Amino acid sequence: MLPLTRGSDEHVIRRPVHHRRGALRPALAARVQRAVLGIACWLLLAAVVPRAQAEDGYDLWLRYRPLDAAQAQTGRSHVAQLVAPAATPTQRAARDELRRGLRGLLGADPGTADAVDRAGALVVGTPASSAAIARLGLDLDGLGDEGFVIRSVEVDGRAATVIAANSDIGTLYGAFRFLRMLQTRQPLAALDLRDAPALDLRLLDHWDNLDRHVERGYAGQSIWDWHKLPDWRDPRYTDYARANASLGINGTVLNNVNASAQSLTPMYLEKAAALAGVFRPYGIRVYLSARFSAPREIGGLDTADPLDPRVRRWWRDKADEIYRLIPDFGGFLVKANSEGQPGPQDYGRTHADGANMLADAVAPHGGVVMWRAFVYSHEEPEDRAKQAYSEFVPLDGQFRENVMVQVKNGAIDFQPREPFHPLFGAMPDTPLMMEFQITKEYLGFATHLVYLGTLFEEVLEADTYQQGKGSTVAKVIDGSLHGHGLTGMAGVANIGSDRNWSGSIFDQANWYAFGRLAWDPHASARAIAGDWARMTFSNDDGFVGPVVDMMMGSRQAAVDYMTPLGLHHLMGEGHHYGPAPWVEGGPRADWTSVYYHRATPEGIGFDRSSGGSDAVAQYADPVARVFDDPKQVPEDLLLWFHHVPWDWRMRSGRTLWDELVHRYSRGVAYVRGMRETWSGLAPYVDAERHAEVAAFLAIQEQEAQWWRDASIAYFRTFSQRPLPEGEAPPPESLEHYRSLSFPFAPGN
Amino acid sequence: MLPLTRGSDEHVIRRPVHHRRGALRPALAARVQRAVLGIACWLLLAAVVPRAQAEDGYDLWLRYRPLDAAQAQTGRSHVAQLVAPAATPTQRAARDELRRGLRGLLGADPGTADAVDRAGALVVGTPASSAAIARLGLDLDGLGDEGFVIRSVEVDGRAATVIAANSDIGTLYGAFRFLRMLQTRQPLAALDLRDAPALDLRLLDHWDNLDRHVERGYAGQSIWDWHKLPDWRDPRYTDYARANASLGINGTVLNNVNASAQSLTPMYLEKAAALAGVFRPYGIRVYLSARFSAPREIGGLDTADPLDPRVRRWWRDKADEIYRLIPDFGGFLVKANSEGQPGPQDYGRTHADGANMLADAVAPHGGVVMWRAFVYSHEEPEDRAKQAYSEFVPLDGQFRENVMVQVKNGAIDFQPREPFHPLFGAMPDTPLMMEFQITKEYLGFATHLVYLGTLFEEVLEADTYQQGKGSTVAKVIDGSLHGHGLTGMAGVANIGSDRNWSGSIFDQANWYAFGRLAWDPHASARAIAGDWARMTFSNDDGFVGPVVDMMMGSRQAAVDYMTPLGLHHLMGEGHHYGPAPWVEGGPRADWTSVYYHRATPEGIGFDRSSGGSDAVAQYADPVARVFDDPKQVPEDLLLWFHHVPWDWRMRSGRTLWDELVHRYSRGVAYVRGMRETWSGLAPYVDAERHAEVAAFLAIQEQEAQWWRDASIAYFRTFSQRPLPEGEAPPPESLEHYRSLSFPFAPGN
């Protein structure tokens, strides 16, 4: 919060607000005591700085708060001067970010110089932009356009650190990496770091409508103020670009996959071009979701048949028009023939026909098409989990080179836990792109603390066995398994107009983790959480350890209190808020809850085994064999693949029913534990952010309890069994839980 | 913007950002030169203050930036210590605000004391809360609960300043007034100020839906985060209360007049109660818009007939329930039988029947009912401007004592200019409440700089002549004309989730002006603009003069470029964005443009004279006589009341057609002038706010030009006359302007 909200007793002079609860306070106090400070100095402080800046989360992980004295001194010795070119917008972005970060972290601007003239210079550039770097003859081969090296060297006999790359954008990424090292207190001596992204496309998908409503958004409105664009370019757009560039995210799909054709009209293309202009220096390309029926809706044609020459021409012309406005336009994302969206099947054509038509339109300009595999149509009667595989595997090899098929991590829809999608590894001749959901549509919206790094990691590390052991999803995605040159990962953004960007401070960690894993899908979720916690809050070990532990278990907790043991799709109808395992009827069976849990007096679970829908057959052996056997399948996926009697004996020794209740309660207890942990961390966190997180954790505990109670109240009508010893019965009747109504829940 | 957005070259040490362009800079620089500042001091500055605070408008007019040295010294001599009680929440709010403000303005916290022990104390309280004030024996009669005195006195032989009142809330208002005096650099010696609000109810009406969409809102979403309430109480709610209390606003209607019955369910009443709890210390009561059909929708009844005993009981029970949760609940606002809303006429009952039924429900708790007179039904075929008068005047005297009829300033709908509503003064036995619209539904949304103080003032100063000369609207509203004890003014809020609250910096001035005029409807719009400009930007005369001049003419400019000479209701359909004088057809004539302008090859204007719809007869003489005569009517209202030939000779000597074109162009030219003025004011304003205002003015100029060009292109098809010498023809065809479509314009 800015000054308007500060408490009355936060006197800036007597109590430096930045660290009034922080670990730096003693050090600061010591410095204060050491310094000979006359009244003039106090007056100046008071005059220049009427109030210290409170923290409201706007700064994300780029806070650049002061290091403690010793670290700052070490830092200053390694950055005694900054030698960085500023001839291009990207060069200026890198230099400005370094100055901003160093000034904040080290407490002093190192000053810039054209050449190294003292020890401890930080030298930034490419062989083309920096004579010093050219002379060093660094090995920059294999780094591509986006990689960089950070190395301790000597320049003209003086110790220096270089951030070098083949292109300006590589130096920008290197600059952010160097700042991260300072922020997380890495040693700065004898550096020899070499890094490049593992994936080509590292994108955010915004499900943002042109009226600023965000589908499944829980952080306010769309940050794109379409109405005022292109004339008003909110400074926030630049901060969005900075935050993304700090992670290596290099593209953004501006509009919802449930797209409006209006996005492709000249008026909106101009607006998109204005955003592209803001993002360009940060290496971020703009993409658009394309509505397949646009030729009919805004093109004056009577068809959108992808094989119709008029349609093909319309899209070619549209692509040409877009590239005139946005020369580095990235391409199209398409949701077709899914959940009522138009597509090539409306004309008896295949997904490949549709994708290739668009691919041909953008190919001359270097654009790509990301064609989503998330399809299910009303006509298909089989297990919804099988449909994407059934429709897409036969098309393998039929897509143009600039088409990627974008596959959600699981086959249903971003559930708290799903087995990895069977398409991964099953289309060797087609580059597959990962689609994760960063926004927590099914994981408690903005108030639940659920770190998704572990979810992402679990999927990426899953072994498909499609080319034998070690055929992990990450290797499918990074192209190494099947030798693809075009690779990518998309995350459905959790970004909105809320001051803290993501609806809560801890939801920022999910944006952060996505970006880090898109750069390196083999990275560790725990290490990423540690970096984020250090950059976002505090480097104090007394803080980092407990917070990272808490984050690492938080997703399992949400699985436990929402949908344990492989249950899925049991949330409120439409808005997806809260528990509703009783949902039935309606337009289609696979939009109900009962379709998925199939509880009866005998048992519970969706039989996808070889004796059931046989969805297991879509996996390679031995995965299929393991999933097919209720005794071998991971218990976390038991009810995903099997219909199991209530007295089924679990590995814990409990019956299935008892284990189910145990898991629900365990999830609630974990949240209670997070509240206790967080309460104890108050000394490390500014009051504003601490209070918000604490309030949200309280809401999470209430809602976790509600999920447990409502679920147990419902399922015990089937199990007909008593609760295990010591388990509290739901305090309300099932009728009560069923009666709750939330017509205005957000994100719908 | 917070640090994430600051330019890279704004080094806090070398350039104090607060005033790097400001008038204070030389003074600061001098102070810097005077002070003996060692390196230790610089280091401390750098460590404590990693960056100075940029301005993003969040602080509104409560910025409390440092006074210059001499003024601060004078200030400190008058506030050497603060003697203020802190036993109640409101007392703490007053004391905390003073400390916050004094610390910012004077550069030092005066410190608090229990009793006066030095010269220059600021003593705050009531005779009950402060022994010192009790001993002074101040004359506090007639100040009521909300008035205050600010006076230079002696306390125990020492010079002091007192802020005294009969109640805590009076002292809070006095505290804000004292701070305003400092902010606007009023002398602090020999003070003898006595003030109390002229109106009882000073309310904001939020047209906020429960899904956070704001009808006619251009500042983001609703600031009420309904989904997270009551558990999460955003600190912003407190700042909202502070800002309103600083103006004397003492009530807020939380939800849209197009109300959802859900607002009255227990779940939402708990949320409203949470907000009421935040606002209570600031003297702000919560009100709700009531949906008349709620007994059917959430009450299980089959009727909402106000004379049905079950309905009456349901509302009594509902009121009891509300007051249990919110003991100081203010009452209901109702839009009934208007634009499709349900109401008593659905059951053959009158507005009085409906209002009185609700009034009886809240009367035992001291609540009021505000019944809107903005009615027009599909069945009424006559001039829409006449309907409210026709329906309500016959009901005069039939309303309960705790009912106010809330009347918009004009009879159509918040048009850029309307004659005052004929109801004012025409219902002597009924207290009438003013409804202004602060949000700029018809005045350019958030991007147009249009100061509404002059619009409000024009209406309040209008003379109804209902009790002879001097029967101004202000005297109707303040109860003095007809001796009413219950008085009030409501403003449709322009507040949303945008960081700057109102969508633009200058729109904050309209919130400010409304609040000041609700406190004192006889206040001067120019003086208010001056205070606002000083508090929001700079006290420098080089700034204040030009900005106030620019503001004072801005509303006339909007009238000129949108709807000059009494034209009205010519905006885009539905969203009301941009010009659309061609709108015709549709469900009802009075939702079109052609209904209002009635242009033909012979002339233009709505004949409301005695020879036409005779709406003029709703006014008292001599107003009616003046309005009825096209030669006497103010030319600004000519086409409101008269259909006039194109060659009608105006007082300027021009023909009507030439004058019309002249006015359009004059409006555009004024905006161009504002851009130039603002450009020259850059030295006085921080870069962030200056850039935003400049960008919005550029949009305003574009849109003003568009209004002019489209309107001329359309009306010349009727006038069939050439443009006056020197007037540029519209650059595009009428077909072009008609083809423009804005399906996602905000606020609809």
Side-chain angles (χ1 to χ4, degrees):
Chain A
M1 291 300 124
L2 268 187
L4 212 53
T5 62
R6 285 200 315 115
S8 64
D9 56 349
E10 298 168 6
H11 193 293
V12 61
I13 293 173
R14 298 188 313 196
R15 294 213 230 166
V17 170
H18 288 309
H19 304 103
R20 70 181 186 284
R21 293 167 171 272
L24 289 181
R25 202 181 161 190
L28 250 183
R31 186 185 301 175
V32 169
Q33 288 164 356
R34 278 199 307 274
V36 181
L37 295 168
I39 188 71
C41 185
W42 287 121
L43 275 176
L44 180 77
L45 252 178
V48 176
V49 194
R51 58 217 70 191
Q53 176 189 325
E55 300 232 16
D56 57 17
Y58 184 80
D59 289 350
L60 296 162
W61 47 87
L62 301 176
R63 292 163 57 254
Y64 303 138
R65 294 297 184 277
L67 300 174
D68 69 28
Q71 288 160 330
Q73 190 168 353
T74 306
R76 284 194 294 269
S77 73
H78 283 94
V79 195
Q81 67 176 174
L82 181 60
V83 181
T88 71
T90 299
Q91 288 170 10
R92 284 192 289 277
R95 190 199 59 171
D96 291 354
E97 193 71 32
L98 283 167
R99 291 186 65 191
R100 180 196 321 254
L102 296 171
R103 195 166 57 219
L105 291 160
L106 306 182
D109 195 318
T112 56
D114 290 337
V116 175
D117 59 16
R118 72 185 70 164
L122 179 62
V123 185
V124 184
T126 67
S129 71
S130 163
I133 284 176
R135 282 201 306 277
L136 283 168
L138 300 163
D139 175 17
L140 303 178
D141 289 350
L143 289 174
D145 277 347
E146 300 185 305
F148 56 83
V149 296
I150 301 178
R151 192 172 297 174
S152 302
V153 296
E154 285 204 352
V155 175
D156 303 332
R158 296 185 173 96
T161 306
V162 292
I163 300 174
N166 290 312
S167 74
D168 287 347
I169 193 66
T171 65
L172 178 65
Y173 289 152
F176 276 114
R177 178 66 64 86
F178 184 80
L179 289 168
R180 186 201 300 164
M181 294 166 65
L182 274 170
Q183 289 173 284
T184 57
R185 314 209 173 170
Q186 303 303 305
L188 300 177
L191 294 178
D192 188 9
L193 173 67
R194 183 183 175 83
D195 202 7
L199 304 180
D200 300 318
L201 308 187
R202 308 177 298 278
L203 307 192
L204 290 181
D205 289 359
H206 287 267
W207 287 0
D208 292 15
N209 296 332
L210 301 184
D211 64 0
R212 298 191 76 179
H213 178 75
V214 181
E215 187 171 328
R216 310 311 175 185
Y218 313 102
Q221 293 181 293
S222 171
I223 54 169
W224 318 135
D225 189 349
W226 290 114
H227 183 69
K228 299 201 193 83
L229 281 166
D231 297 292
W232 169 238
R233 303 178 189 201
D234 193 321
R236 188 164 190 161
Y237 304 150
T238 303
D239 291 332
Y240 168 89
R242 289 178 50 232
N244 280 318
S246 79
L247 304 171
I249 288 171
N250 67 356
T252 177
V253 185
L254 298 177
N255 60 322
N256 193 350
V257 287
N258 294 321
S260 164
Q262 295 289 323
S263 289
L264 299 173
T265 58
M267 184 166 79
Y268 278 89
L269 291 176
E270 269 192 61
K271 296 168 189 278
L275 290 173
V278 175
F279 302 157
R280 190 167 293 117
Y282 298 90
I284 295 168
R285 286 184 178 201
V286 154
Y287 299 72
L288 290 173
S289 292
R291 183 159 166 92
F292 200 78
S293 52
R296 295 173 56 117
E297 294 165 14
I298 60 168
L301 300 184
D302 57 4
T303 179
D305 181 349
L307 301 192
D308 187 300
R310 294 166 302 155
V311 172
R312 300 176 66 81
R313 163 170 298 276
W314 187 86
W315 280 108
R316 276 202 311 275
D317 291 346
K318 181 55 69 180
D320 293 347
E321 178 189 354
I322 294 173
Y323 279 93
R324 276 193 300 274
L325 288 163
I326 311 173
D328 56 353
F329 179 69
F332 293 125
L333 171 64
V334 187
K335 173 178 180 177
N337 292 120
S338 172
E339 299 185 315
Q341 292 296 311
Q345 293 176 346
D346 302 347
Y347 306 93
R349 315 302 183 186
T350 69
H351 284 293
D353 293 330
N356 292 342
M357 182 266 295
L358 290 172
D360 291 343
V362 296
H365 308 283
V368 300
V369 169
M370 299 167 289
W371 193 269
R372 292 175 92 231
F374 179 67
V375 295
Y376 60 97
S377 59
H378 198 44
E379 293 72 25
E380 294 281 346
E382 63 168 353
D383 180 2
R384 175 173 146 189
K386 293 173 62 179
Q387 293 187 31
Y389 182 100
S390 304
E391 285 200 45
F392 275 83
V393 166
L395 299 174
D396 189 28
Q398 296 183 26
F399 292 96
R400 295 282 189 274
E401 281 194 351
N402 59 333
V403 173
M404 307 191 73
V405 171
Q406 184 168 310
V407 183
K408 291 189 180 182
N409 59 280
I412 295 297
D413 191 12
F414 300 132
Q415 290 300 296
R417 173 171 276 124
E418 301 194 25
F420 69 86
H421 201 298
L423 271 176
F424 290 116
M427 293 182 72
D429 294 329
T430 308
L432 300 188
M433 188 164 169
M434 173 65 78
E435 179 176 312
F436 282 127
Q437 191 181 45
I438 309 172
T439 189
K440 302 209 307 304
E441 174 180 0
Y442 298 104
L443 282 148
F445 296 3
T447 43
H448 292 213
L449 194 167
V450 180
Y451 174 53
L452 299 180
T454 53
L455 188 162
F456 304 154
E457 183 181 53
E458 177 179 296
V459 174
L460 292 166
E461 289 188 347
D463 197 337
T464 70
Y465 280 88
Q466 289 283 1
Q467 303 280 323
K469 185 165 169 51
S471 304
T472 62
V473 171
K475 288 186 184 170
V476 175
I477 294 305
D478 72 13
S480 61
L481 193 67
H482 297 117
H484 290 301
L486 184 59
T487 58
M489 187 186 294
V492 180
N494 67 352
I495 297 164
S497 61
D498 273 6
R499 185 68 185 160
N500 65 21
W501 299 88
S502 300
S504 79
I505 304 296
F506 273 87
D507 276 310
Q508 298 175 356
N510 295 326
W511 175 10
Y512 184 88
F514 168 77
R516 292 284 302 270
L517 286 164
W519 179 276
D520 176 10
H522 304 277
S524 145
R526 177 175 286 274
I528 291 169
D531 283 352
W532 176 81
R534 289 174 188 278
M535 295 162 82
T536 303
F537 289 111
S538 165
N539 271 290
D540 197 298
D541 290 337
F543 176 83
V544 176
V547 158
V548 170
D549 285 346
M550 177 174 100
M551 291 169 72
M552 290 301 290
S554 61
R555 182 268 190 140
Q556 181 64 47
V559 170
D560 284 346
Y561 64 69
M562 288 178 168
T563 48
L565 298 176
L567 288 173
H568 51 288
H569 205 288
L570 306 183
M571 65 290 160
E573 212 172 352
H575 50 59
H576 299 171
Y577 176 62
W582 45 76
V583 171
E584 60 188 338
R588 44 188 302 164
D590 57 1
W591 284 358
T592 70
S593 298
V594 298
Y595 173 88
Y596 292 100
H597 66 66
R598 309 209 167 188
T600 68
E602 286 70 46
I604 183 172
F606 195 128
D607 185 359
R608 294 189 170 105
S609 73
S610 48
S613 80
D614 202 22
V616 293
Q618 295 182 337
Y619 292 94
D621 266 333
V623 179
R625 219 166 49 238
V626 168
F627 286 174
D628 194 32
D629 181 353
K631 298 214 177 73
Q632 289 190 66
V633 70
E635 284 188 338
D636 278 332
L637 298 174
L638 178 64
L639 304 180
W640 186 282
F641 286 113
H642 298 279
H643 189 82
V644 181
W646 292 108
D647 288 329
W648 177 269
R649 194 58 59 181
M650 304 293 291
R651 280 158 215 163
S652 64
R654 299 185 188 94
T655 64
L656 170 63
W657 169 245
D658 286 359
E659 181 71 21
L660 197 63
V661 174
H662 168 72
R663 296 275 179 123
Y664 282 124
S665 300
R666 188 176 79 176
V668 179
Y670 192 90
V671 179
R672 209 173 294 126
M674 289 201 292
R675 290 188 68 186
E676 286 164 21
T677 299
W678 187 252
S679 175
L681 297 176
Y684 302 101
V685 182
D686 53 284
E688 289 79 3
R689 291 188 299 166
H690 192 271
E692 183 177 303
V693 172
F696 287 6
L697 284 169
I699 292 173
Q700 185 178 8
E701 187 188 340
Q702 280 175 38
E703 295 187 351
Q705 189 73 49
W706 168 37
W707 268 94
R708 173 208 180 266
D709 292 338
S711 301
I712 291 174
Y714 174 74
F715 284 124
R716 73 176 171 183
T717 66
F718 297 96
S719 78
Q720 307 280 353
R721 280 159 175 78
L723 294 185
E725 184 79 18
E727 286 285 356
E732 304 279 356
S733 69
L734 176 58
E735 289 63 43
H736 167 81
Y737 298 115
R738 293 186 67 143
S739 75
L740 299 175
S741 167
F742 305 94
F744 304 104
N748 203 351
Chain B
M1 291 297 124
L2 268 186
L4 211 54
T5 61
R6 284 201 315 115
S8 64
D9 56 348
E10 299 167 6
H11 192 293
V12 62
I13 293 175
R14 298 189 310 196
R15 295 213 230 166
V17 171
H18 290 309
H19 306 102
R20 71 181 184 284
R21 293 165 171 273
L24 290 180
R25 203 181 161 192
L28 251 183
R31 186 186 300 175
V32 169
Q33 287 164 356
R34 278 199 307 275
V36 180
L37 294 167
I39 188 69
C41 187
W42 288 121
L43 274 176
L44 180 78
L45 253 179
V48 177
V49 194
R51 58 217 73 191
Q53 178 188 325
E55 300 232 17
D56 57 18
Y58 184 81
D59 289 350
L60 295 162
W61 47 86
L62 301 176
R63 292 162 58 253
Y64 302 139
R65 294 297 185 275
L67 301 175
D68 69 29
Q71 288 159 329
Q73 190 167 352
T74 306
R76 283 193 295 270
S77 74
H78 282 94
V79 196
Q81 67 176 176
L82 180 60
V83 181
T88 70
T90 299
Q91 287 170 11
R92 284 191 289 276
R95 190 199 58 170
D96 291 354
E97 193 71 32
L98 283 168
R99 292 186 65 192
R100 181 197 319 256
L102 296 171
R103 195 167 54 220
L105 290 161
L106 307 182
D109 195 319
T112 57
D114 290 336
V116 175
D117 60 16
R118 71 185 69 166
L122 180 62
V123 185
V124 184
T126 67
S129 71
S130 163
I133 284 176
R135 283 200 307 277
L136 283 170
L138 300 164
D139 175 18
L140 303 177
D141 289 350
L143 288 173
D145 278 347
E146 301 185 305
F148 57 84
V149 297
I150 300 177
R151 192 171 298 173
S152 303
V153 296
E154 283 204 352
V155 175
D156 303 333
R158 295 187 173 92
T161 305
V162 292
I163 300 174
N166 290 312
S167 75
D168 286 347
I169 193 65
T171 65
L172 178 65
Y173 289 152
F176 276 114
R177 177 66 63 88
F178 184 79
L179 289 169
R180 187 200 300 165
M181 293 165 67
L182 274 169
Q183 289 173 283
T184 57
R185 315 211 172 169
Q186 303 303 305
L188 301 178
L191 294 178
D192 187 10
L193 173 66
R194 182 184 176 84
D195 202 7
L199 304 180
D200 300 319
L201 308 187
R202 308 176 298 277
L203 308 191
L204 290 181
D205 289 359
H206 287 267
W207 287 0
D208 292 14
N209 296 332
L210 301 184
D211 64 0
R212 298 191 77 179
H213 177 75
V214 181
E215 187 171 326
R216 312 309 175 185
Y218 312 102
Q221 292 182 295
S222 171
I223 55 167
W224 319 134
D225 188 351
W226 290 113
H227 183 70
K228 298 201 192 82
L229 282 167
D231 298 292
W232 169 236
R233 303 176 190 202
D234 193 321
R236 188 163 189 163
Y237 304 151
T238 303
D239 291 332
Y240 168 89
R242 289 178 51 232
N244 280 317
S246 78
L247 305 172
I249 288 171
N250 67 357
T252 176
V253 185
L254 298 176
N255 61 322
N256 194 350
V257 289
N258 294 322
S260 164
Q262 294 289 324
S263 290
L264 299 172
T265 58
M267 184 167 80
Y268 278 89
L269 291 176
E270 270 193 60
K271 297 169 188 279
L275 290 173
V278 175
F279 301 157
R280 190 167 291 117
Y282 297 91
I284 295 168
R285 287 185 177 199
V286 155
Y287 298 72
L288 289 173
S289 291
R291 183 159 166 90
F292 200 79
S293 51
R296 294 173 56 118
E297 293 165 15
I298 61 168
L301 301 183
D302 58 2
T303 179
D305 180 351
L307 301 192
D308 187 300
R310 296 166 301 156
V311 172
R312 300 176 66 82
R313 163 170 297 278
W314 188 86
W315 280 109
R316 277 202 310 276
D317 291 347
K318 181 54 69 179
D320 293 347
E321 179 189 352
I322 294 173
Y323 279 93
R324 277 192 300 274
L325 287 164
I326 311 172
D328 56 352
F329 178 69
F332 292 125
L333 172 64
V334 187
K335 173 178 180 176
N337 292 120
S338 171
E339 298 184 318
Q341 293 295 310
Q345 293 176 344
D346 302 347
Y347 305 93
R349 315 301 184 185
T350 69
H351 284 292
D353 294 330
N356 292 342
M357 182 265 294
L358 291 173
D360 290 343
V362 297
H365 308 284
V368 301
V369 169
M370 298 166 289
W371 194 269
R372 294 174 92 231
F374 178 67
V375 296
Y376 60 95
S377 60
H378 198 44
E379 293 73 25
E380 295 281 346
E382 63 169 352
D383 180 1
R384 174 172 146 190
K386 294 174 62 179
Q387 294 188 29
Y389 183 100
S390 304
E391 285 199 46
F392 276 84
V393 167
L395 300 174
D396 190 27
Q398 297 183 26
F399 292 97
R400 296 280 189 275
E401 281 193 351
N402 59 332
V403 173
M404 306 190 73
V405 171
Q406 182 167 310
V407 183
K408 292 188 181 183
N409 59 280
I412 294 297
D413 192 12
F414 300 132
Q415 291 300 295
R417 173 171 277 123
E418 302 194 24
F420 70 86
H421 201 300
L423 272 176
F424 290 116
M427 294 182 70
D429 294 329
T430 307
L432 300 188
M433 186 162 171
M434 173 65 79
E435 179 175 314
F436 282 129
Q437 190 180 47
I438 309 172
T439 188
K440 301 209 307 303
E441 174 180 359
Y442 298 104
L443 282 147
F445 296 5
T447 43
H448 292 213
L449 195 166
V450 180
Y451 174 54
L452 299 180
T454 52
L455 188 162
F456 304 155
E457 182 181 56
E458 176 178 296
V459 174
L460 292 166
E461 289 188 347
D463 196 337
T464 70
Y465 281 87
Q466 290 283 0
Q467 303 280 322
K469 185 163 167 53
S471 304
T472 62
V473 171
K475 289 186 183 170
V476 175
I477 294 305
D478 72 14
S480 62
L481 193 67
H482 298 116
H484 290 299
L486 183 60
T487 57
M489 187 188 292
V492 180
N494 66 353
I495 297 163
S497 62
D498 274 5
R499 183 69 184 161
N500 65 20
W501 299 88
S502 300
S504 79
I505 305 296
F506 273 87
D507 277 311
Q508 298 174 354
N510 295 326
W511 175 9
Y512 184 89
F514 167 79
R516 292 285 300 272
L517 287 164
W519 179 276
D520 177 10
H522 305 277
S524 143
R526 176 175 286 275
I528 292 169
D531 283 352
W532 176 81
R534 288 174 189 277
M535 295 162 81
T536 302
F537 289 111
S538 165
N539 270 291
D540 198 298
D541 290 337
F543 176 84
V544 176
V547 158
V548 169
D549 284 346
M550 175 174 100
M551 291 169 72
M552 290 301 290
S554 60
R555 182 266 192 141
Q556 181 64 47
V559 170
D560 284 345
Y561 63 70
M562 288 178 169
T563 49
L565 297 176
L567 289 172
H568 50 289
H569 204 289
L570 306 183
M571 64 290 160
E573 209 171 357
H575 49 61
H576 300 172
Y577 176 63
W582 44 77
V583 171
E584 59 188 339
R588 45 188 301 164
D590 56 1
W591 285 357
T592 69
S593 298
V594 297
Y595 173 87
Y596 293 98
H597 66 67
R598 309 208 168 189
T600 67
E602 286 71 45
I604 183 172
F606 195 127
D607 185 359
R608 294 189 171 104
S609 73
S610 49
S613 79
D614 202 22
V616 293
Q618 296 183 336
Y619 292 94
D621 267 333
V623 178
R625 218 168 48 239
V626 168
F627 286 174
D628 194 32
D629 181 353
K631 298 215 178 72
Q632 289 191 65
V633 70
E635 284 187 337
D636 277 332
L637 297 175
L638 178 64
L639 304 180
W640 185 282
F641 286 113
H642 298 279
H643 188 82
V644 181
W646 293 110
D647 287 328
W648 178 267
R649 192 60 57 181
M650 304 294 291
R651 280 159 216 161
S652 64
R654 298 186 189 94
T655 65
L656 170 64
W657 169 246
D658 286 359
E659 180 72 19
L660 196 64
V661 174
H662 168 72
R663 295 276 179 123
Y664 282 124
S665 299
R666 186 176 79 176
V668 179
Y670 192 90
V671 178
R672 209 173 295 126
M674 290 202 292
R675 289 189 68 185
E676 284 163 23
T677 298
W678 187 251
S679 176
L681 297 175
Y684 303 100
V685 183
D686 52 283
E688 289 78 5
R689 291 188 298 167
H690 192 272
E692 184 178 301
V693 172
F696 287 6
L697 283 170
I699 291 172
Q700 184 178 8
E701 187 188 339
Q702 279 175 38
E703 294 187 352
Q705 188 72 49
W706 167 38
W707 269 94
R708 174 208 180 266
D709 292 337
S711 301
I712 291 173
Y714 174 74
F715 286 124
R716 73 174 170 185
T717 66
F718 298 95
S719 78
Q720 307 280 355
R721 280 158 176 78
L723 293 185
E725 183 80 17
E727 288 284 358
E732 305 279 354
S733 69
L734 175 58
E735 290 61 43
H736 167 80
Y737 297 115
R738 293 186 67 144
S739 76
L740 298 176
S741 166
F742 306 93
F744 304 104
N748 204 352

